[in-house]
């Protein structure tokens, strides 16, 4: 199984709503990532979890709150978002080992988020 | 800050033509990955190159890592409409195993 799954596929929410994005992988990977991608731009890293611990937060606003319940699951909790937060949110996973090409990242299909 | 510049930014060609996409940086990377992304979908990993000067082939796609591991190229032979998409290179920096630096992207359109 080389698949990263994300739910939901699409999400529309108001600025006062609370919602969550979910990501799952069963490849035994120990690193998981959240990226944000705006139209016609490359993905921008938001968070990295390594061995279920938050290792990188790229100065993301607190209205985005990541959670890693176990090594296979990654959530992104959303609260009080702004319209400019509308984007494709991508989850990825990797083995988590340093160098040597062993840290290939495999991406999920993404969640298209629209904030009204 | 590590930067990866891709060129060209956009390429529109006809089926059967050949093309090369370049990915350049002033920084050294321990490995470099190439992805293809279709609209509304996540990037799909095509290949990873690790050794300076390495060449890898994936059917009609040929990937090369520069000798100094600062740049890479992707060559497509006899392009097909199914090759259409956004091509992204992404470098893994030494000592920053959990962070990929993504290139600026090349949007390829192949028409019949």
């Amino acid at each position: 199984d080389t698949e990263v799954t994300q739910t939901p596929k699409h999400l529309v929410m108001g600025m006062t709503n609370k919602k969550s994005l979910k990501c799952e992988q069963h490849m035994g990977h120990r690193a998981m990532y959240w990226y944000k991608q705006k139209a016609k731009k490359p993905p921008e890293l938001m968070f990295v979890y390594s061995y279920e611990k938050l290792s990188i937060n790229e100065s993301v606003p607190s209205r985005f709150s990541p959670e890693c319940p176990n090594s296979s699951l990654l959530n992104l909790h959303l609260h009080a978002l702004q319209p400019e937060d509308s984007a494709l949110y991508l989850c990825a996973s990797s083995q988590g080992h340093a160098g040597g090409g062993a840290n290939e990242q495999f991406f999920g299909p993404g969640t298209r988020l629209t904030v009204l | 800050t590590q930067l990866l510049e891709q060129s060209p930014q956009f390429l529109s060609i006809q089926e059967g033509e050949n093309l090369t996409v370049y990915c350049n940086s002033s920084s050294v990377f321990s490995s470099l990955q190439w992805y293809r992304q279709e609209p509304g979908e996540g990037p799909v990993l095509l290949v990873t190159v690790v050794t300076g000067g390495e060449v890898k082939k994936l059917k009609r796609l040929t990937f090369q890592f520069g000798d100094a591991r600062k740049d890479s190229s992707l060559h497509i032979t006899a392009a097909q409409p199914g090759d259409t998409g956004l091509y992204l290179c992404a470098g893994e920096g030494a000592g920053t195993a959990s962070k990929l630096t993504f290139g600026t992207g090349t949007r390829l359109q192949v028409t019949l």
Side-chain angles (χ1 to χ4, degrees):
Chain A
D1 184 0
T2 58
E3 195 176 78
V4 177
T5 59
Q6 289 187 245
T7 55
K9 180 76 170 169
H10 300 276
L11 179 62
V12 179
M13 60 186 290
M15 289 190 284
T16 58
N17 291 158
K18 285 186 181 181
K19 296 286 184 184
S20 297
L21 309 184
K22 297 185 184 300
C23 174
E24 189 168 6
Q25 58 87 14
H26 293 289
M27 294 179 276
H29 287 172
R30 303 315 300 266
M32 296 186 76
Y33 310 77
W34 280 115
Y35 288 86
K36 173 183 177 180
Q37 187 177 26
K38 300 287 266 186
K40 300 184 180 180
K41 297 288 188 184
E44 298 174 26
L45 182 66
M46 300 174 72
F47 302 103
V48 180
Y49 272 83
S50 179
Y51 290 82
E52 300 165 49
K53 287 186 167 43
L54 182 65
S55 60
I56 295 175
N57 176 342
E58 292 286 272
S59 302
V60 179
S62 60
R63 57 185 184 268
F64 295 91
S65 176
E67 178 197 19
C68 189
N70 60 55
S71 59
S72 299
L73 293 173
L74 186 67
N75 299 322
L76 185 63
H77 303 297
L78 314 173
H79 175 53
L81 295 194
Q82 304 296 312
E84 59 264 29
D85 296 321
S86 298
L88 182 68
Y89 286 84
L90 295 163
C91 173
S93 71
S94 71
Q95 288 185 354
H97 300 297
N103 205 41
E104 295 173 320
Q105 292 189 23
F106 296 87
F107 285 81
T111 293
R112 172 69 61 191
L113 174 66
T114 302
V115 182
L116 301 176
Chain B
T1 302
Q2 297 176 313
L3 294 173
L4 272 169
E5 293 285 338
Q6 285 185 236
S7 61
Q9 289 184 27
F10 181 75
L11 195 53
S12 181
I13 61 172
Q14 291 191 314
E15 183 180 19
E17 292 186 39
N18 302 332
L19 66 120
T20 301
V21 177
Y22 299 93
C23 174
N24 294 302
S25 176
S26 58
S27 302
V28 175
F29 294 98
S30 59
S31 71
L32 198 134
Q33 300 165 31
W34 282 93
Y35 294 85
R36 180 172 65 222
Q37 185 178 22
E38 300 192 23
E41 298 292 329
V44 175
L45 181 64
L46 298 174
V47 79
T48 300
V49 286
V50 179
T51 307
E54 182 177 7
V55 176
K56 282 192 174 179
K57 292 193 175 184
L58 184 67
K59 296 183 182 177
R60 294 174 293 99
L61 279 59
T62 302
F63 304 85
Q64 184 162 9
F65 203 11
D67 291 342
R69 291 184 288 132
K70 293 181 179 181
D71 54 81
S72 182
S73 63
L74 157 60
H75 182 78
I76 301 179
T77 304
Q80 299 178 359
D83 296 326
T84 294
L86 176 67
Y87 288 81
L88 293 161
C89 63
E92 179 186 354
T96 58
S98 294
K99 291 185 72 167
L100 286 181
T101 298
F102 274 90
T104 47
T106 295
R107 193 163 298 277
L108 172 64
Q109 184 174 14
V110 183
T111 55
L112 293 170

